[in-house]
Amino acid sequence: MVTVVVAINILISFMLLFVAWQVWQLKKRIALLSDRLLQYEQCSHNLLHNAPENIYLGQQNILNLRQSNQGLQTKIQQIRQIVSLLLLGQRSWGRYVRRPSSLSGKQQSVKSVKA
């Protein structure tokens, strides 16, 4: 009977030793995972700690570009209006002013066709 109890105790001891070894292996894996996560956190912190400043600076640059673009758009609109007025003036001037060289050229070509 004593041998059966000793054998069961030895069996239980080996099982507990195996469980302890598995827990120890799990502890090593968790420590490795923890170290890796800390490294990832440090890298992401190094990358992103200036992000709010950079975002704010980018927003300011975009605002400045929009304001300068708005000024350029008004200048482009004014230039288009001036060009359209010049073209309208050129067309109007061409209707009221006869060009003698173009009329004489047409008359000569009509005379040469009749002859």
Side-chain angles (χ1 to χ4, degrees), residues 3-111:
T3 23
V4 172
V5 171
V6 171
I8 290 174
N9 279 340
I10 291 174
L11 184 63
I12 290 172
S13 296
F14 281 131
M15 285 177 24
L16 289 176
L17 181 64
F18 178 74
V19 169
W21 183 71
Q22 290 292 327
V23 169
W24 184 66
Q25 292 293 324
L26 183 63
K27 178 186 168 191
K28 282 176 51 178
R29 288 181 188 158
I30 289 174
L32 181 64
L33 180 64
S34 174
D35 291 341
R36 216 174 255 173
L37 288 174
L38 281 174
Q39 288 174 353
Y40 292 154
E41 190 272 333
Q42 287 174 348
C43 288
S44 64
H45 176 74
N46 290 338
L47 285 173
L48 298 176
H49 81 280
N50 287 333
E53 283 182 30
N54 293 338
I55 290 171
Y56 178 73
L57 183 62
Q59 288 175 342
Q60 289 297 323
N61 289 339
I62 288 172
L63 180 65
N64 292 340
L65 285 174
R66 284 183 180 164
Q67 288 174 349
S68 65
N69 188 25
Q70 187 176 9
L72 291 174
Q73 289 293 335
T74 55
K75 288 180 182 180
I76 288 172
Q77 185 178 4
Q78 290 173 349
I79 290 172
R80 285 182 179 164
Q81 289 174 348
I82 290 170
V83 168
S84 65
L85 284 174
L86 288 174
L87 289 174
L88 181 64
Q90 182 184 13
R91 289 180 192 147
S92 299
W93 183 260
R95 287 182 188 164
Y96 295 113
V97 175
R98 302 265 180 192
R99 294 186 185 130
S101 62
S102 63
L103 289 178
S104 63
K106 286 182 181 179
Q107 289 175 352
Q108 288 175 359
S109 63
V110 169
K111 288 180 184 178

